[in-house]
Amino acid sequence: MTMFDLTGRVAVVTGGNGGIGLGIAQALASSGCDVSIWGRNAEKNKAAAASIAAGPGKVDTRICDVTSAASVNEAMKATLETFGRVDGCFANAGIGGGGRKPFIERSEEEWRTMFATNLDGVFHAFQAAARHMTARAEAGDAFGRLVATSSLASLFGTARNEHYAATKAAINALCRALAVELARHGVTANAILPGWIKSDMTAGIMGNEKFVANVMPRIPVRRFGEPSDFGGIAVYLMSKASSYHTADCFVIDGGYTAF
């Protein structure tokens, strides 16, 4: 995938100290973007920063609990003091299935913990970033990118992880709504759905005739994605080239398409 020149841009990556989040931070930094990594673990933040310190962009880390609006707002304030602006927010924090209990056995605490970690984190990070981006747009500098990592479970559901699927579906809906609401400010919103392989889990999508006819021919499905694949998508979505990509972004084998 072509890497775009993001020199002078600044991006926040929540949960950017491992896995897909680290791949996104590394790709952004290597393209010339300054990056602020927000995470709960100071040592992981430090290690993540060290892994991309050799790139052309500056790297900053913040201790941040994305489930707390106060913590996110504090991190945003500190990031703005350091870099002066934030052009992109990549919300990657979250947790997976959290067990394989049937829906009727799911506890209230498990349900709310999943929502707080997966959905509240995106809400808080996006709101703090959008406030800054829209204020900047009103001052004549209209540019902003909001991207969240979602899951294929948000499209076809998942047995015994329904609370996880529900949070990811909510993230997709939030991105689509924000794409409409924030377009006049020059701000786009997308959800990356990482991880593709033809299996029982993706049978529902592969059985969609329109999807197979219109999308599949352009995307080679050969392997699980790597963090660097999603980093390349994040760079694309951060660039001016993605101005009209305001939908879910499906990532397969390093390529991309969007609905």
Side-chain angles (χ1 to χ4, degrees):
M1 172 171 293
T2 301
M3 299 295 280
F4 296 85
D5 181 8
L6 296 179
T7 302
R9 298 295 183 189
V10 181
V12 166
V13 181
T14 70
N17 51 27
I20 293 170
L22 179 57
I24 288 173
Q26 290 171 332
L28 289 166
S30 67
S31 68
C33 193
D34 294 335
V35 180
S36 183
I37 296 173
W38 296 1
R40 293 177 176 177
N41 188 306
E43 289 302 313
K44 286 186 177 181
N45 287 354
K46 184 178 179 180
S51 73
I52 60 179
K58 294 186 293 184
V59 183
D60 177 56
T61 65
R62 300 286 164 190
I63 297 295
C64 180
D65 176 5
V66 294
T67 66
S68 164
S71 182
V72 168
N73 290 333
E74 183 178 342
M76 179 61 72
K77 179 180 178 181
T79 300
L80 291 174
E81 289 174 352
T82 299
F83 294 112
R85 61 188 290 130
V86 168
D87 299 292
C89 180
F90 297 83
N92 184 63
I95 54 177
R100 301 290 293 176
K101 291 182 181 178
F103 175 71
I104 58 176
E105 296 178 10
R106 186 73 58 187
S107 72
E108 177 84 2
E109 181 180 3
E110 289 170 323
W111 181 266
R112 295 196 178 278
T113 296
M114 181 65 70
F115 266 75
T117 308
N118 287 344
L119 188 55
D120 289 0
V122 175
F123 171 80
H124 294 143
F126 274 12
Q127 189 174 67
R131 284 171 175 162
H132 163 69
M133 292 170 181
T134 55
R136 217 177 56 217
E138 291 171 359
D141 183 10
F143 184 90
R145 302 289 184 258
L146 304 175
V147 182
T149 51
S150 185
S151 168
L152 294 176
S154 65
L155 300 181
F156 58 81
T158 176
R160 297 176 181 263
N161 276 331
E162 70 297 313
H163 59 328
Y164 170 74
T167 64
K168 296 304 185 179
I171 288 171
N172 290 356
L174 174 63
C175 288
R176 287 177 179 274
L178 288 177
V180 176
E181 179 177 340
L182 300 177
R184 66 189 180 92
H185 298 287
V187 178
T188 63
N190 290 271
I192 299 178
L193 281 69
W196 277 83
I197 189 170
K198 193 169 185 178
S199 69
D200 292 344
M201 292 184 66
T202 57
I205 297 172
M206 300 305 176
N208 183 316
E209 292 182 3
K210 289 185 177 180
F211 181 84
V212 172
N214 299 327
V215 179
M216 291 299 292
R218 294 181 292 165
I219 306 174
V221 181
R222 298 192 299 270
R223 61 174 174 82
F224 281 113
E226 300 290 339
S228 58
D229 298 334
F230 311 118
I233 299 302
V235 168
Y236 172 79
L237 292 174
M238 181 76 173
S239 74
K240 289 185 177 180
S242 69
S243 296
Y244 299 102
H245 273 254
T246 50
D248 296 324
C249 190
F250 297 85
V251 183
I252 306 176
D253 199 32
Y256 69 89
T257 187
F259 282 5

